Amino acid sequence: MAYEVNGKTIETNANGYLDNIDDWNEDVAKVIADGEGVTELTERHFNVINYLRDEYINNAGNQPNMRNIVKAMKKVMNDSKLDSKSLYQLFPKSPDKQGSKIAGLPESKRKGGY
């Protein structure tokens, strides 16, 4: 499988996760998101995406679970009432796994759906 973005072919694994995280940019994110049924990426989406990328790239490959994502997004979005349901509205298949896919990160090895 591969994505075509701005005339460039972006290679992926069989599940649609990028082979090379350096191929990622916001245009790639939009193409992946569209394929995932997330038709519009808002600032809130990019808050989660940028957090996931930062954790992976700058924290030894860390792929945070839902609890940690919610905790971080409460601070980033300055919304003390934010919960996992709010994040599932952004990424319906799973904020941690679907969000990571759209963020161009490797497929998570943690157990769980998606």
Side-chain angles (χ1 to χ4, degrees):
M1 178 178 189
Y3 298 110
E4 288 294 324
V5 182
N6 299 329
K8 182 178 178 187
T9 301
I10 308 295
E11 295 297 326
T12 69
N13 70 11
N15 294 326
Y17 288 81
L18 298 187
D19 285 341
N20 180 355
I21 66 170
D22 294 329
D23 287 337
W24 185 89
N25 60 44
E26 288 189 9
D27 290 335
V28 172
K30 291 173 184 174
V31 170
I32 297 170
D34 191 52
E36 289 287 306
V38 180
T39 57
E40 180 185 2
L41 291 177
T42 65
E43 180 181 353
R44 291 173 70 87
H45 286 93
F46 278 107
N47 285 336
V48 175
I49 289 167
N50 290 330
Y51 167 72
L52 293 171
R53 286 188 61 81
D54 182 60
E55 280 296 304
Y56 186 83
I57 294 167
N58 297 317
N59 197 7
N62 182 41
Q63 292 180 305
N65 62 21
M66 274 300 298
R67 182 176 181 206
N68 290 326
I69 296 170
V70 169
K71 186 176 177 181
M73 290 303 99
K74 282 182 177 183
K75 291 179 185 174
V76 169
M77 296 180 191
N78 196 24
D79 182 355
S80 63
K81 295 184 180 186
L82 185 131
D83 59 8
S84 61
K85 183 178 178 181
S86 303
L87 296 179
Y88 270 93
Q89 290 173 340
L90 298 173
F91 302 99
K93 293 181 182 174
S94 176
D96 55 340
K97 294 185 180 187
Q98 186 179 38
S100 291
K101 184 175 187 177
I102 295 170
L105 300 174
E107 191 167 2
S108 174
K109 303 300 180 202
R110 284 194 316 271
K111 293 182 180 180
Y114 185 66

